[in-house]
Amino acid sequence: MTDVSAGDGPVTDVPPPATPRQDLVDRLLAGDRRALARVLTRIENGDRVGAAASARLYAHGGRAHVVGVTGPPGAGKSTLVGALIGAYREQGRSVGVVAVDPSSPMSGGATLGDRIRMGAWHGDDQVFVRSMASRGHGGGVARATTDLVDALDAAGFNPVIVETVGAGQGEIDVAALTHTTLLVQVPGTGDAVQTLKAGGLEVGDILVVGKGDLPGAAGLEADLRGMLTLAEPDPPSRRAVPGQDAWPVRVIRVSAQTQEGVAELADAIDAHRAHLARSGEIVTRLRARAEATLLARLRALLEAQVAGTTADRRVADAVAAVAARTRTPDEALASVLTVLAERGAPWAGAAANNRSASFGRR
Amino acid sequence: MEASDVGPGGAGSSDVWGARDDARARPIKVLVAKPGLDGHDRGAKVMARAMRDAGFEVVYTGLFQTPEMIASAAAQEDVDVVGLSILSGAHLTLFPLIMDALRERGVDDVLVVAGGTIPAEDLAEVEAMGVAAVFGPGTPMRTAIQFIRERTPRRDEP
């Protein structure tokens, strides 16, 4: 077995943690919020302590309802999450939040500005808000987001809310790691044709018309409802269990300003959770989530491995040749695969052979 | 071996200040807060931007923060650095409350720095509270960034 991690990237085969590290997890499980914060950092960094903590915490998770909130930048996602926290606290429920903002592709830095909208609960230890940078991960969440959610779940927060990077039409990874996905739309961003487009609108279990007090909100609500009536009752994009009714996607207009719709939204999230349990769809979703998590880990390992090849001179030469248009990207790929195979990735050699065999047919 | 375990765009990237941060396992995480009642946040935003461009992860909490809000955010976010921007003149009142609130929440190993209008005659007192540096008007951003880079505590062990 070759070491595919080559010392880089997330660590999967982790030695048993030393005693003080176990204490950190024990403190987390006992309700120590500072220990929780520390564990989240280590998990986010993907280091050995974090991996060991994740492994121990996994058995304690699976209780929380995980709610994803996605939508375009400035749609009011953070403000909506702030309003939802209020609704849940009124019901006596604790709330964990993981709020993701983008990392700079230039500097690696980030401005994390989500908790500014959630400041009302700073003295309440039943509310825990954690900001994280996407650190180069696409799809609207960070690589470690799902592990942070699991840690908050293990710490007893329920629900756990994941707020994505301001997302356009295609960043839908959040749907794979949550039970209920809220898609926030706001007035003034296009006509009814926009509501027909694929992507985010397909993964929303609840479509939220944000800034519901603004002019145009009622029109957007009508457009979204109209769009939903155009679909078959059970379109393939919904993940219903055969023989069971699909969840009827809801459209809810919310104004965090006036609080209109906030309680209704919290109720709709509960109704969706009940639907998942009653219909058995929760099983499908949990399996999809597990698959997405495993594939994401595999991808991270492969990415770390691939990133390591750019230091090799042959790859640098291939890059230069592609830039100069003396080789096509497909031709240059052979060099990368050769380097990968030499660095101990057995699949790369096979892929290189397949490619050269099939190249003429492309 | 490269410190690539933070992924693309992580600590391994070079930044606008020309430095590389390979030795560090992750980007430095900084809380930027405006304690008290002055509404002048341009300096805080300029610094937040500069630190972002230096490869730091900056949690921006905005205006009118109470000591409890600042301490709570610093604890939950597990930041390495707390940056306080104050132009109201209330630093001798608010800073001790902030330092106490941080300690109460177990945030006892962060680098605390300040910026804004703090008169020279107050500097000794402010530093005695545990504020590591005061970056007054006219401080080059490079100076502040460099200071934070050098003085941020390493916390690789729990």
Side-chain angles (χ1 to χ4, degrees), chain B residues 15-75:
Chain B
D15 61 48
V16 293
W17 309 103
R20 289 180 67 91
D21 215 5
D22 288 340
R24 196 169 279 282
R26 65 150 169 165
I28 295 173
K29 191 169 180 180
V30 186
L31 182 83
V32 173
K34 286 278 312 166
L37 296 177
D38 76 90
H40 305 281
D41 60 354
R42 188 165 175 82
K45 284 175 173 163
V46 166
M47 271 315 295
R49 166 75 201 258
M51 290 191 286
R52 185 202 80 189
D53 291 345
F56 300 178
E57 292 179 350
V58 182
V59 181
Y60 187 71
T61 58
L63 293 169
F64 312 133
Q65 299 285 297
T66 65
E68 289 72 26
M69 290 164 93
I70 293 167
S72 167

Side-chain angles (χ1 to χ4, degrees), chain B residues 100-125:
Chain B
D100 284 348
L102 286 171
R103 269 189 294 273
E104 260 170 48
R105 290 179 182 265
V107 186
D108 48 11
D109 57 352
V110 293
L111 180 74
V112 180
V113 295
T117 48
I118 296 175
E121 59 263 37
D122 291 347
L123 288 180
E125 196 175 338

Side-chain angles (χ1 to χ4, degrees), chain A residues 21 41-42 108 112 115 131, chain B residues 9 52 58 77-78 156-157:
Chain A
R21 290 163 190 173
T41 302
R42 308 307 293 260
L112 310 175
R115 72 178 301 132
S131 314
Chain B
R52 185 202 80 189
V58 182
E77 299 290 353
D78 194 25
D156 289 343
E157 292 309 309

Side-chain angles (χ1 to χ4, degrees), chain A residues 6-10 20-21 24 33-34 37-42 44-47 49 103-116 119-124 127-137 143 303-304 311, chain B residues 1-10 13-16 25-27 29 31 48-49 51-63 65-66 68-69 72-79 105-110 155-158:
Chain A
D8 290 333
R21 290 163 190 173
L24 200 61
R33 301 299 189 227
R34 187 70 184 133
R38 282 280 155 85
V39 167
L40 294 180
T41 302
R42 308 307 293 260
E44 188 182 3
N45 292 344
D47 66 20
V49 177
S103 292
S104 161
M106 314 297 178
S107 70
T111 307
L112 310 175
D114 290 330
R115 72 178 301 132
I116 203 169
W121 291 272
H122 58 87
D124 184 343
V127 177
F128 195 103
V129 177
R130 180 65 174 234
S131 314
M132 74 187 302
S134 63
R135 297 193 181 176
H137 195 276
R143 198 177 68 203
E303 274 169 14
Chain B
M1 190 181 93
E2 293 180 12
S4 64
D5 62 342
V6 292
S13 323
S14 70
D15 61 48
V16 293
R26 65 150 169 165
K29 191 169 180 180
L31 182 83
R49 166 75 201 258
M51 290 191 286
R52 185 202 80 189
D53 291 345
F56 300 178
E57 292 179 350
V58 182
V59 181
Y60 187 71
T61 58
L63 293 169
Q65 299 285 297
T66 65
E68 289 72 26
M69 290 164 93
S72 167
Q76 292 188 352
E77 299 290 353
D78 194 25
V79 291
R105 290 179 182 265
V107 186
D108 48 11
D109 57 352
V110 293
R155 296 191 315 199
D156 289 343
E157 292 309 309

Side-chain angles (χ1 to χ4, degrees), chain A residues 105-179:
Chain A
M106 314 297 178
S107 70
T111 307
L112 310 175
D114 290 330
R115 72 178 301 132
I116 203 169
R117 320 287 172 200
M118 308 171 198
W121 291 272
H122 58 87
D124 184 343
D125 78 347
Q126 296 303 303
V127 177
F128 195 103
V129 177
R130 180 65 174 234
S131 314
M132 74 187 302
S134 63
R135 297 193 181 176
H137 195 276
V141 292
R143 198 177 68 203
T145 298
T146 183
D147 295 327
L148 261 59
V149 169
D150 280 341
L152 287 168
D153 180 357
F157 292 98
N158 185 9
V160 176
I161 303 175
V162 179
E163 181 189 335
T164 71
V165 169
Q169 294 163 324
E171 295 90 338
I172 55 173
D173 281 8
V174 69
L177 62 92
T178 56
H179 302 124

